[in-house]
Amino acid sequence: MAASMMRTTGVNIFLMFVNGKLLCRGRRQVVASLTSQYLLKRRCYSSRRNILTLTERGIFQDIFPDTSDLPKVLSSGPQCIYCGFDPTADSLHIGNLLAIIALLHCQRAGHNPIALIGGATALIGDPSGKTTERTPLESSVVQSNAASIKSSLQRIFTNHERYFWKEDKQLPKIRIMDNKSWYKDMNVLRFLAGVGRQLRMGKLLSRQSVQTRLASSQGMSFAEFSYQLFQAYDFLHLHHEYGCLIQLGGTDQLGNLMTGHELVKRVTGKDVYGIVIPLVTSSTGDKLGKTAGNAVWINEEKTSALDLYQHFLRLPDADMEHYLKLFTLLPLNEIADVMRLHKKTPKNRKAQEKLAEQVLLLVHGEIGLDRALRQTEALYHTSPASLEQLNDAEITELFQGATVTRLLLEPGFSIAQMLDRVKCLPQGHKGDLILSAGGVYINNQRVTDASRVLIKDEHILANGLTLIRVGKKNYYIVKWV
Ligand SMILES: Nc1ncnc2c1ncn2[C@@H]1O[C@H](COP(=O)(O)OP(=O)(O)OP(=O)(O)O)[C@@H](O)[C@H]1O
Ligand SMILES: N[C@@H](Cc1ccc(O)cc1)C(=O)O
């Protein structure tokens, strides 16, 4: 029985054909039947190479085009699987992280992953999911973004191997490449005559990304229209060079995956496959990413380890099980244990803590996780000891916007003298009022007597710092020299 699935121009409508006959129409219907089909197949194919069982975790949403062959192909031996990332910003974000985690699952199942950086395609700009034309990027900007993304990808794959891979077997090598390497010497005539001739206008025009833009008042440039040809050629190139059979991408990439499938099929006669991962959305339902301007970044310069940790720590209880399945590599039985513990006392946020810990370890390694934990401790627990665990840079990052003053510690220096030098209180009566009302804190402890002489370990921490807070959120840091 040959079964195939097709998505029409709308995002939500599927048509499923069996032996050429329309079997069913609709959205959840097809996805649900795919899910049960894969779970059933899992029992028939012994190897865990059949990554489609990951639909249990919700990490794979749809497959294109042929639902019957892929489990067999995956179980038959290691396959090359790729996912592309356009360097249109200098960092990836947690939406992209889901695609990286999908690649990690492939690698853990013994397949050969390729993370492709779109150094060439970023210059054109993918219209998928965009309602307006992208602002063109300078080639030098794309190049430096690509370098930064490459090092994040390397870091994540290294962290995974170091902290998450416990088996004796060697993980297959991750290949990180840039499509600029095959486009830089590409001859435009050869490309159009080769790739352009293979693809039919009707299908290219039917893609959702094209339809939406053609219907808009701004229309669509030929450059953006041509984007799908380049992504399709990448698939063909990786198929030729590495025998790549599978491309992963978010749901917004389905049209590009279909064009890739069509090109490879026409040129080689072989079927290749697209596996679609769900889109991570914000609480308002928008795709998390660059375009929506709501990205949570994985480069520390853009989103600190503490903020990344806090992002996951603050997610609502209702999302926990789903997010643990998507964003961690914990086995499902461990996730069930975490959820059981969490449900007993949700206010302890055990599920959020586990989720945040696992993401931090993957993205920033042990050092980043440790920093985020110490900073969280200092932020929410008021003991001076928690502040002492932080160095200069960490404390300054934690209390962003705090005024930093360097002071020389002289014998007999009092709290009042320090407050005066730091200029954290208004002069005269107003300042005295704040003090006597208990509005000044030193190292998280309320000041009751400002005439006291500063004492090491109480007022001056072992790290040579004093943290002053005036009112609810005005912070001042003293660095003693
Ligand atoms: N929020 C998200 N959830 C899941 N996957 C995502 C998300 N955002 C991006 N991806 C996937 O990551 C891969 C790389 O995407 P890309 O680098 O273009 O990021 P992007 O945020 O979608 O960019 P832009 O907003 O500029 O379109 C694609 O497969 C894309 O579908
Ligand atoms: N078009 C993808 C990135 C990508 C680039 C090249 C590829 O071959 C594949 C994917 C995106 O914007 O999300």
Side-chain angles (χ1 to χ4, degrees), residues 450-467:
S451 64
R452 282 183 66 199
V453 170
L454 291 174
I455 298 174
K456 267 216 156 120
D457 293 337
E458 182 184 345
H459 303 121
I460 302 166
L461 301 172
N463 52 12
L465 302 173
T466 299
L467 179 73

Side-chain angles (χ1 to χ4, degrees), residues 84-86 88 93 95-96 134 249-250 252-253 277-280 287-291:
F85 305 88
D86 273 349
T88 46
H93 53 75
N96 305 134
R134 287 172 188 267
D252 57 333
Q253 293 297 304
I277 61 169
L279 281 188
V280 187
K287 171 187 163 192
L288 274 189
K290 292 166 262 184
T291 305

Side-chain angles (χ1 to χ4, degrees), residues 27-77:
R27 189 185 186 202
R28 286 303 112 208
Q29 237 178 325
V30 174
V31 176
S33 75
L34 288 181
T35 309
S36 52
Q37 202 178 357
Y38 292 129
L39 297 182
L40 206 74
K41 285 271 166 69
R42 190 166 60 124
R43 287 179 214 126
C44 312
Y45 296 107
S46 55
S47 163
R48 65 183 226 193
R49 286 216 164 97
N50 178 10
I51 47 167
L52 298 182
T53 56
L54 289 166
T55 40
E56 277 177 309
R57 301 184 77 101
I59 199 158
F60 293 153
Q61 186 167 315
D62 297 318
I63 286 147
F64 181 85
D66 190 345
T67 56
S68 63
D69 286 358
L70 191 51
K72 222 182 289 176
V73 170
L74 285 164
S75 303
S76 69

Side-chain angles (χ1 to χ4, degrees), residues 3-14:
S4 66
M5 185 181 76
M6 222 174 81
R7 190 184 279 241
T8 64
T9 49
V11 178
N12 296 330
I13 316 284
F14 290 90

